[in-house]
């Protein structure tokens, strides 16, 4: 272990306590000599006492401020009030509204920037990174207009989502009308992007603390490049330029553990598609020898050390 990881730490993961990723994180924490608990976002509860008294921030694993570091994983759906409350609790820890110093990977502001696909794309574009032509609207009428403006061949995707769920490629105006009508009835925000050929191929740069992994993903049967949608994954060595770019982006977002995704573009340089603050790594682990979960725990160690030094 490094000097930063020599001390035994209490770690908390917020998210599902079952499944492959949870098992990987448990095993990695055990290998590196730490105690890990996993708690659900739904169990988070807070109390505010007298002025000057410490906040009470709890979950079903116990007091959240008793932990040296917290890993934020997939947050389940909920009402706007519930989502806002969960983030407010994380902000209270991250903004040091308490006398305790607990590191959060990734912190709530970074989650807010990256989970919202419009916000993350806007942040990338504002920083000068090339992105696909995109329209984000709130009605069928505006969506149909955007569909035509974007060339009548679009990828429609939910503002919140992952692993390719809810993503559609639409090339027919009548299908677009019916699809947008349904989404409007569901009170959804409609995000449309010009389809970038060839589709189904992208580059993922996985940044985990001080480590960076490069992955090429390819899907011959679909325009979706997600491994969960059938894409294959191959590792490559990230050059200095791409690594520097990925680190600049994750630092701009305030992310410690994230992926930066670029889609192939037959008519020009690759385009920056999104920044994922809660990346899965099952497909990546199949082609990477080093334990990615160990890298995640290492990042928690480093952030905890940085915060308390």
């Amino acid at each position: 272990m490094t000097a930063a990881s020599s001390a035994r730490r209490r770690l908390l993961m917020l998210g599902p306590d079952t499944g492959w990723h949870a098992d990987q994180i448990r095993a990695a924490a055990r290998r590196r000599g730490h105690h890990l608990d996993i708690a659900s976002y739904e169990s988070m509860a807070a109390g505010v006492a007298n002025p000057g008294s410490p906040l009470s921030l709890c979950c079903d694993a116990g007091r959240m401020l008793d932990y040296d570091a917290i890993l934020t994983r997939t947050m389940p759906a909920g009402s706007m009030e519930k989502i806002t409350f969960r983030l407010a609790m994380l902000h209270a820890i991250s903004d040091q509204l308490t006398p305790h110093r607990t590191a959060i990977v990734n912190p709530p502001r970074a989650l807010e920037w990256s989970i919202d696909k419009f916000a993350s794309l806007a942040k990338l574009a504002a920083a000068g990174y090339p992105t696909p032509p995109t329209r984000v609207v709130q009605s069928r009428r505006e969506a149909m207009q955007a569909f035509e403006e974007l060339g009548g061949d679009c990828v429609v995707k939910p503002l919140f989502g992952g692993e390719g769920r809810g993503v559609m490629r639409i090339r027919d105006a009548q299908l677009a009308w019916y699809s947008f009508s349904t989404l409007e009835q569901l009170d959804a925000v409609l995000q449309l992007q010009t389809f970038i050929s060839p589709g189904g191929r992208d580059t993922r740069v996985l940044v985990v603390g001080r480590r960076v992994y490069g992955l090429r993903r390819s899907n011959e049967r679909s325009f979706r490049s997600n491994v969960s949608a059938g894409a294959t994954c191959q590792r490559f060595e990230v050059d200095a330029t791409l690594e520097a770019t990925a680190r600049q982006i994750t630092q701009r977002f305030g992310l410690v553990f994230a992926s930066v995704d670029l889609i192939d573009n037959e008519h020009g340089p690759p385009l920056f598609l999104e920044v994922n603050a809660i990346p899965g790594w099952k497909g990546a682990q199949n082609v990477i020898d080093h334990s990615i979960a160990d890298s995640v725990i290492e990042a928690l160690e480093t952030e905890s050390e940085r915060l308390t030094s």
Side-chain angles (χ1 to χ4, degrees):
M1 286 189 180
T2 65
S5 64
S6 59
R8 176 179 170 86
R9 288 178 170 81
R10 291 198 66 194
L11 307 177
L12 173 67
M13 186 178 93
L14 290 171
D17 65 352
T18 59
W20 185 88
H21 289 89
D23 292 343
Q24 290 283 303
I25 291 294
R26 282 194 187 94
R30 185 168 56 250
R31 281 193 298 271
R32 298 182 71 87
H34 304 307
H35 173 88
L36 173 77
D37 289 321
I38 301 179
S40 67
Y41 283 93
E42 295 94 330
S43 71
M44 294 170 66
V48 181
N50 297 323
S53 298
L55 296 173
S56 171
L57 305 174
C58 301
C59 61
D60 54 13
R63 298 199 317 164
M64 296 176 69
L65 295 174
D66 288 342
Y67 292 91
D68 298 299
I70 298 173
L71 175 65
T72 54
R73 291 298 293 167
T74 304
M75 184 183 294
S79 66
M80 184 174 67
E81 281 190 341
K82 286 185 176 180
I83 299 298
T84 301
F85 169 65
R86 295 166 190 168
L87 290 169
M89 282 189 61
L90 294 176
H91 275 295
I93 300 171
S94 180
D95 296 344
Q96 299 175 25
L97 300 184
T98 72
H100 302 270
R101 296 175 72 81
T102 299
I104 302 181
V105 175
N106 288 299
R109 188 66 184 115
L111 294 178
E112 291 165 352
W113 274 114
S114 52
I115 291 174
D116 181 335
K117 285 186 170 58
F118 163 71
S120 61
L121 205 65
K123 199 170 182 69
L124 287 168
Y129 298 103
T131 60
T134 303
R135 302 288 187 275
V136 183
V137 299
Q138 300 183 67
S139 71
R140 180 189 63 202
R141 179 184 60 80
E142 292 173 312
M144 289 302 301
Q145 181 178 343
F147 178 74
E148 295 300 328
E149 291 174 351
L150 293 172
D153 186 357
C154 294
V155 175
V156 181
K157 58 180 66 175
L159 211 59
F160 303 149
E163 299 183 337
R165 291 187 293 268
V167 178
M168 304 175 287
R169 180 183 178 186
I170 299 179
R171 289 172 278 183
D172 178 81
Q174 187 172 17
L175 178 59
W177 192 91
Y178 283 113
S179 299
F180 300 157
S181 296
T182 300
L183 291 169
E184 184 179 52
Q185 290 170 11
L186 294 172
D187 204 24
V189 173
L190 296 87
Q191 179 172 250
L192 292 77
Q193 288 182 335
T194 297
F195 175 75
I196 305 297
S197 60
R201 298 206 304 258
D202 76 359
T203 297
R204 166 163 285 196
V205 183
L206 189 62
V207 179
V208 194
R210 66 183 182 88
R211 299 182 185 271
V212 174
Y213 304 99
L215 302 158
R216 285 286 297 159
R217 303 187 300 181
S218 179
N219 193 342
E220 300 299 327
R221 297 174 295 174
S222 171
F223 71 92
R224 299 177 184 86
S225 55
N226 312 86
V227 173
S228 59
T232 58
C233 198
Q234 185 176 17
R235 184 182 181 183
F236 73 94
E237 293 300 322
V238 179
D239 64 33
T241 300
L242 183 55
E243 177 174 348
T245 299
R247 288 200 177 279
Q248 288 168 2
I249 289 172
T250 54
Q251 288 168 8
R252 180 177 292 272
F253 279 71
L255 294 162
V256 176
F257 171 33
S259 67
V260 177
D261 295 344
L262 301 88
I263 55 173
D264 286 14
N265 177 12
E266 285 184 339
H267 305 292
L271 301 176
F272 288 82
L273 186 62
E274 66 179 38
V275 180
N276 190 338
I278 311 176
W281 68 89
K282 191 172 184 178
Q285 191 64 80
N286 289 333
V287 296
I288 293 174
D289 293 333
H290 182 79
S291 167
I292 297 173
D294 273 35
S295 298
V296 174
I297 298 299
E298 181 185 50
L300 290 171
E301 296 165 354
T302 302
E303 288 302 300
S304 175
E305 179 75 11
R306 181 187 63 79
L307 197 61
T308 56
S309 61

